[in-house]
Amino acid sequence: MAKPLPDETRVVVIGGGIMGCSLAYHLTKLGWRDVVLLERKKLTCGSTWHAAGLVREVLGSYTMTRLAQYSMTLFKALEEETGQATGLKQNGSIGIAVNEARWEEHRRAAGLAKARGVEVELITPQRAKELYPLLNIEDVLGAIYFPHDGQTNPADTTMALAKGARMGGARIFEDTKVTGILSARGRVAGVRTEHGDIKAEVVVNCAGLWAREVGLMAGVAVPLHACEHFYVVTEPMDGVPPDLPVLRDMDGSAYYKEDAGKLLIGAFERAAKPWGMDGIPEDFAFDELPEDMDHFMPVLEGAMHRIPALQEVGIRTFFNGPESFTPDNRYMLGAAPELGNFYVAAGFNSIGIQSAGGAGQALAEWIVGGAAPFDLSDLDIRRVQPFQNNKAYLFHRASEALGLLYDLHWPYRQFETARGVRLSPLHERLKERGACFGEVAGWERPNWYAPDGVEPKYEYSYKRQNWFDHSAAEHRAVREAVGLLDQTSFAKFLVQGADAETALQRICANDVAVPAGKVVYTQWLNERGGIEADLTLTRLAEDRYMVITGAAVGPHDLDWLNRHLPEGARVTVTEVTSGFAVIGIMGPNARALLARLTGADLSNQAFPFGTSREIEIGFATVRATRITYVGELGWELYVPTEFARGVFDAIVAEGGDFGLKPVGMHAMDSLRIEKAYRHWGHDITGEDTPIEAGLGFAVRLDKNVPFIGRDALLRQNDNGVKKRLVQFALEDPEPLLYHNEPVLRDGEMVGYLTSGNYGHHLGRAVGLGYVRHPGGVDADFVDSGSYEIEVAGERFAARASLRPLYDPKAERVKA
């Protein structure tokens, strides 16, 4: 380190890979000149330097696609701005399909691309061979072609970003290892390095392979684990021109990239090799890992089938280097909930080069603006559950995560590794009844139930999967009789104190100044009026509320609540998720069943919708809350964990007379979509307001407290909206909807589906999605259009409705 470190700076960025350099660059673009980037060794060391450098416009979600598109735009402009070459070549990319499932996956991916305005073509095998003459197409069914995809030089691109950051005033220090994170009063205060401390208002963890360890210094969970990533580079080959497209043969676990007249062949094999279980060596920088030709050979043999010319050429380089992977194959971005002003951008799962531009811009705007600039919920680090930072958990999950990059991305695909982490007290009872479990936030939850003689195991398909009819029976049981759902995974927070009501009135869009025993459905909004949380509050007493939200969003919502409590408020927040099992009893027979188990008056007059009170069932006292997420008469029973099995047994003992059936999460989802109930993270996000989402009924603009986001909603009320969430039902009962399918109005694309499932009562697939129009969207606009949904490249007529197609007046819910 030739120059001395500053004693103080506004922001410290830890890590000199492409992500850290991108963030520093974008912070300076937003006017922050006092930026210090610290790199333990040299820029690009770790994993950036050996990345393959593939760049594409479409990734696995709408948000990741948005960020990747910006990266492409940025890389095209960097060389002119900085004078540093990036090596960007937009030769296009081809993804081949050698089976029907992959071909459908590609056709559905083309729909997402169209919805994002990305140029895409579905092409024949013959056209693929014209574009890639080396290709063996004897077993190819079709291909997807992105003409603007390509490749870049990772090291050169990083250096261009670093140069641009320096031009904007950022200072970059190599050979400067961070050894600790300084904090005071719950906020970051700076960093400790080998060469001294630096005070800072903001610290950002972009440490790549080392991000978990840097997180531990701050008490922040950054769950990622390195795996070995293999590629080979051939000797020079005939027929490998500089403009050869990138080729992906995902069923062969391989990608192919032109490399100065040679081919680089990389692998995302099904069972990967975790690395670094005992930590990363202190001197690790531009290191390679040992060769393992036996491990790579199945991929290479497949490559010689796909590119027969490889049989006649030698290998110049065998490379093995580490890359980091996260438990859910999505990278982590944003403000850490554990420590104020400590941010994270890490765990890029082999898509760091193509994501870094957009991720750097988004995180810079988040840091400077104090809030996410748009919906980043599927990447937000606040989705992380603390247990996921466990080393043993990460070791097992990382091996699977790498393999899933090129595996078929089946609907409802469940992770197979690191399972059985969090179990409901009812787990064994449900297992005995044929539950097939899925996993969310570590919770094992029944997704569907196998009848006698059927193995509770998934058989994946893009068509009707093996559980379709079983889940349909569960769906119908809720509509026609009564179902039992294990909802224990719900996140639960107690908000207590003399100022509980005052604080929550400021955070909640609805009015929570209600009597004890009342339930309030509400959203928490950002200053733009966007929905940051969608949940219920139950007032338990004058100074006590219980907040109920989804399992996957528990950390996010808890962090939002804690960050927005007024300073000095006499309020405490306690997570009590594990303290209560939750049993949902839902369906037209719910009242009759529960009435046999309790002496409490459950009549509509005595126990109306939106009421919560304690009742006795069996030998337990439980909190019965009359609410529903399935669109039927029903109660959620909040049972102290140690009493849960006894209450369950009492319900089951009487349930046979009322047609009681255990019901899984797949049926809950099909039921809620049929009733047009929204799901946060899909149908509603921080970019969607309650007015746009059709949730105005849950907002009290006239309450005396100026809640967060109210001013934005008042403006929107005056000006109208340019999008509305609409429910769609296909006219044809055969196709299936999942999400991301394009929506067309009078032949013009106006949006895409945010969620979809099969409405078994309606007898057709149902979806939710926003209809957009620059001139405004109102009921007349929605009703006057003719709609189609594109499914795997084929258009199907659809009915559109702003009102729920099932029980639009909620008469069944309030019966």
Side-chain angles (χ1 to χ4, degrees):
M1 189 191 70
K3 50 188 177 181
L5 291 176
D7 295 326
E8 190 171 349
T9 187
R10 192 171 194 181
V11 56
V12 169
V13 178
I14 304 172
I18 192 168
M19 184 61 227
C21 292
S22 175
L23 177 62
Y25 169 87
H26 284 96
L27 285 169
T28 65
K29 289 295 183 184
L30 294 175
W32 282 31
R33 310 298 181 194
D34 198 5
V35 176
V36 168
L37 185 149
L38 304 178
E39 165 51 50
R40 60 182 292 278
K41 296 293 184 183
K42 301 296 182 183
L43 295 185
T44 78
C45 78
S47 58
T48 293
W49 73 276
H50 63 71
L54 308 184
V55 289
R56 48 180 169 160
E57 294 183 283
V58 175
L59 293 176
S61 75
Y62 192 84
T63 300
M64 289 196 290
T65 296
R66 179 175 183 171
L67 299 182
Q69 284 182 281
Y70 170 79
S71 294
M72 191 79 80
T73 301
L74 172 67
F75 296 165
K76 284 190 284 188
L78 266 180
E79 184 170 344
E80 181 177 349
E81 177 188 350
T82 66
Q84 166 70 50
T86 64
L88 177 67
K89 297 196 301 181
Q90 290 181 274
N91 296 343
S93 74
I94 301 168
I96 63 170
V98 297
N99 54 63
E100 289 291 348
R102 183 71 70 184
W103 184 222
E104 177 154 355
E105 179 174 291
H106 284 335
R107 298 199 311 272
R108 287 179 176 268
L112 171 62
K114 293 175 186 177
R116 274 299 301 161
V118 174
E119 187 176 345
V120 61
E121 298 176 39
L122 293 167
I123 60 176
T124 65
Q126 291 72 27
R127 175 60 176 152
K129 188 169 181 63
E130 290 174 9
L131 294 166
Y132 205 99
L134 294 171
L135 182 64
N136 172 14
I137 60 170
E138 65 182 16
D139 55 348
V140 175
L141 302 182
I144 188 169
Y145 174 52
F146 294 95
H148 301 300
D149 285 0
Q151 59 197 67
T152 192
N153 184 302
D156 288 347
T157 304
T158 302
M159 291 304 182
L161 289 164
K163 184 175 182 180
R166 289 189 180 102
M167 291 165 59
R171 290 170 287 176
I172 296 176
F173 297 86
E174 298 180 304
D175 300 308
T176 305
K177 180 181 178 181
V178 172
T179 59
I181 304 297
L182 308 177
S183 62
R185 297 182 296 277
R187 300 176 72 84
V188 78
V191 300
R192 177 155 290 150
T193 81
E194 299 169 311
H195 307 293
D197 294 353
I198 305 176
K199 295 180 181 178
E201 300 173 19
V202 174
V203 174
V204 191
N205 179 0
C206 300
L209 296 170
W210 294 266
R212 180 177 180 272
E213 284 64 40
V214 171
L216 290 172
M217 296 177 191
V220 171
V222 186
L224 54 79
H225 198 294
C227 285
E228 299 182 22
H229 179 55
F230 300 87
Y231 60 74
V232 298
V233 181
T234 69
E235 297 287 353
M237 292 179 62
D238 293 333
V240 182
D243 61 351
L244 191 69
V246 170
L247 175 68
R248 292 182 179 87
D249 178 7
M250 299 172 81
D251 290 293
S253 304
Y255 61 85
Y256 305 78
K257 183 191 83 164
E258 183 276 333
D259 186 65
K262 306 176 288 294
L263 275 185
L264 182 153
I265 307 158
F268 291 111
E269 66 278 20
R270 295 290 187 269
K273 296 176 63 179
W275 176 80
M277 284 67 74
D278 298 322
I280 301 172
E282 180 62 30
D283 60 353
F284 193 88
F286 296 98
D287 297 62
E288 298 183 27
L289 304 182
E291 295 183 8
D292 189 343
M293 186 56 80
D294 288 342
H295 184 80
F296 189 75
M297 185 54 70
V299 174
L300 191 57
E301 289 172 349
M304 288 187 284
H305 164 73
R306 186 60 53 215
I307 309 290
L310 291 172
Q311 300 173 27
E312 309 299 328
V313 68
I315 293 176
R316 171 173 289 187
T317 303
F318 186 107
F319 183 84
N320 180 13
E323 295 189 0
S324 56
F325 291 82
T326 64
D328 60 4
N329 258 339
R330 290 177 282 146
Y331 52 92
M332 293 172 285
L333 204 64
E338 300 96 331
L339 184 64
N341 274 8
F342 186 86
Y343 292 81
V344 177
F348 279 87
N349 306 287
S350 283
I351 58 169
I353 304 302
Q354 58 204 316
S355 302
Q361 182 198 45
L363 188 56
E365 292 181 0
W366 192 332
I367 293 167
V368 172
F374 47 84
D375 174 39
L376 293 166
S377 56
D378 62 339
L379 305 173
D380 195 326
I381 192 171
R382 290 173 294 177
R383 74 185 186 276
V384 166
Q385 308 290 326
F387 82 87
Q388 292 179 307
N389 216 30
N390 177 282
K391 286 183 70 174
Y393 170 87
L394 288 169
F395 170 80
H396 290 287
R397 181 57 65 85
S399 175
E400 182 181 11
L402 182 150
L404 290 179
L405 291 180
Y406 273 17
D407 204 352
L408 277 156
H409 301 91
W410 298 114
Y412 307 104
R413 171 71 161 78
Q414 301 296 316
F415 283 102
E416 297 175 359
T417 57
R419 293 291 298 270
V421 178
R422 304 172 81 179
L423 303 181
S424 158
L426 305 178
H427 181 82
E428 291 303 320
R429 298 285 200 275
L430 305 177
K431 184 178 180 180
E432 292 168 0
R433 286 161 175 79
C436 184
F437 294 96
E439 180 257 323
V440 169
W443 285 100
E444 295 291 325
R445 310 194 306 181
N447 278 348
W448 56 279
Y449 288 85
D452 290 342
V454 174
E455 184 180 7
K457 182 179 180 180
Y458 280 92
E459 296 175 11
Y460 295 117
S461 169
Y462 276 100
K463 310 302 181 186
R464 286 161 170 74
Q465 295 187 11
N466 63 314
W467 50 266
F468 183 88
D469 290 339
H470 309 317
S471 187
E474 299 165 26
H475 183 117
R476 286 190 287 269
V478 174
R479 290 282 184 252
E480 299 167 8
V482 61
L484 182 151
L485 301 97
D486 181 11
Q487 300 170 230
T488 301
S489 61
F490 282 1
K492 316 166 190 78
F493 318 134
L494 279 179
V495 183
Q496 304 175 90
D499 294 333
E501 179 188 306
T502 302
L504 288 170
Q505 283 286 66
R506 164 75 176 157
I507 296 169
C508 297
N510 210 339
D511 187 358
V512 300
V514 295
K518 293 299 294 180
V519 183
V520 178
Y521 171 55
T522 188
Q523 287 79 46
W524 294 347
L525 309 180
N526 56 41
E527 295 291 354
R528 302 187 303 270
I531 300 169
E532 292 290 343
D534 180 71
L535 40 76
T536 62
L537 288 84
T538 300
R539 190 163 202 168
L540 305 178
E542 181 180 357
D543 62 349
R544 189 165 73 255
Y545 293 80
M546 182 179 280
V547 177
I548 308 297
T549 189
V553 298
H556 173 279
D557 292 359
L558 183 60
D559 178 68
W560 184 268
L561 175 59
N562 283 322
R563 285 179 186 266
H564 291 85
L565 291 173
E567 190 171 350
R570 296 169 295 172
V571 180
T572 62
V573 179
T574 309
E575 182 171 3
V576 294
T577 299
S578 299
F580 296 91
V582 183
I583 302 173
I585 304 298
M586 301 287 160
N589 292 347
R591 179 181 286 119
L593 169 56
L594 291 175
R596 186 172 296 182
L597 297 164
T598 182
D601 186 351
L602 301 179
S603 67
N604 201 39
Q605 295 72 30
F607 210 131
F609 182 77
T611 299
S612 179
R613 61 173 62 114
E614 291 186 337
I615 66 173
E616 293 180 355
I617 295 181
F619 300 130
T621 299
V622 308
R623 174 163 294 278
T625 298
R626 189 173 168 195
I627 197 78
T628 181
Y629 193 51
V630 297
E632 296 293 340
L633 170 69
W635 280 263
E636 293 172 357
L637 306 178
Y638 290 79
V639 189
T641 301
E642 66 270 30
F643 291 96
R645 284 182 287 274
V647 171
F648 176 88
D649 291 343
I651 294 170
V652 171
E654 298 293 343
D657 291 344
F658 303 93
L660 180 69
K661 190 175 184 67
V663 173
M665 291 294 123
H666 289 339
M668 174 182 270
D669 188 60
S670 62
L671 288 157
R672 72 95 184 168
I673 287 182
E674 201 169 56
K675 188 64 174 70
Y677 286 155
R678 281 63 166 151
H679 182 268
W680 193 85
H682 286 92
D683 311 308
I684 47 179
T685 70
E687 282 191 80
D688 312 307
T689 72
I691 298 171
E692 295 165 340
L695 296 174
F697 66 88
V699 175
R700 286 295 301 273
L701 291 170
D702 58 347
K703 71 177 181 178
N704 294 328
V705 180
F707 60 86
I708 300 168
R710 185 177 73 169
D711 291 345
L713 296 189
L714 288 171
R715 290 192 296 271
Q716 199 170 64
N717 255 351
D718 292 338
N719 299 330
V721 297
K722 299 186 188 317
K723 66 176 186 180
R724 288 288 302 274
L725 189 66
V726 177
Q727 187 182 33
F728 298 93
L730 297 184
E731 300 291 353
D732 187 330
E734 285 305 308
L736 299 180
L737 300 174
Y738 300 116
H739 67 288
N740 287 336
E741 292 89 351
V743 176
L744 298 101
R745 178 184 183 275
D746 297 336
E748 298 292 328
M749 192 172 298
V750 292
Y752 61 96
L753 295 187
T754 51
S755 61
N757 208 317
Y758 201 86
H760 297 286
H761 179 83
L762 296 175
R764 60 203 64 247
V766 182
L768 297 173
Y770 287 91
V771 169
R772 292 169 165 83
H773 183 245
V777 179
D778 56 18
D780 288 342
F781 181 85
V782 172
D783 293 342
S784 63
S786 175
Y787 293 89
E788 294 173 302
I789 309 293
E790 183 177 310
V791 182
E794 187 176 355
R795 295 182 181 183
F796 295 91
R799 177 184 172 190
S801 178
L802 288 171
R803 302 182 71 198
L805 294 172
Y806 178 79
D807 189 24
K809 297 181 180 179
E811 294 170 335
R812 296 174 67 87
V813 169
K814 298 178 180 179

